[in-house]
């Protein structure tokens, strides 16, 4: 199957990769979400808009990584 890797330890068994991919993508999502939350928003209106824009970019990447994690978890559950 394409989603499995052979684990060569003398025993012929399959080790699925999907749970690990889901785990790492959820860690990436958490890191990106923390980065979005820790952006300093300044009081000046011109700088405020730029800071909100940066915060939105980081949050959107966090949402994409979280969505990828959910999809990977769902596929893993369907295949097992």
């Amino acid at each position: 199957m394409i989603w499995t890797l052979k684990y060569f330890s003398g025993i012929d068994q399959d080790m699925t990769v999907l749970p690990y991919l889901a785990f790492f993508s959820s860690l990436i999502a958490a890191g990106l979400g923390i980065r979005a939350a820790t952006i300093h928003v300044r009081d000046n209106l011109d700088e405020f808009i730029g800071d909100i824009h940066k915060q939105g970019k980081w949050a959107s990447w966090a949402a994409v990584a979280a969505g990828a994690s959910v999809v990977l978890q769902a596929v893993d559950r369907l295949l097992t």
Side-chain angles (χ1 to χ4, degrees):
M1 184 175 254
I2 194 167
W3 297 107
T4 60
L5 291 177
K6 285 290 189 185
Y7 179 69
F8 298 106
S9 67
I11 300 170
D12 190 21
Q13 74 184 56
D14 290 337
M15 183 177 77
T16 60
V17 177
L18 285 176
Y20 298 106
L21 292 175
F23 173 73
F24 287 121
S25 64
S26 66
L27 284 180
I28 290 170
L32 291 171
I34 289 171
R35 175 66 178 124
T38 57
I39 289 178
H40 179 68
V41 179
R42 296 170 279 194
D43 288 337
N44 188 352
L45 185 60
D46 295 330
E47 296 170 345
F48 174 79
I49 300 300
D51 293 340
I52 295 295
H53 180 71
K54 279 194 286 189
Q55 192 176 34
K57 279 186 176 180
W58 285 103
S60 65
W61 283 112
V64 168
S69 176
V70 168
V71 168
L72 288 169
Q73 290 175 27
V75 170
D76 179 49
R77 289 290 180 182
L78 287 174
L79 294 178
T80 57

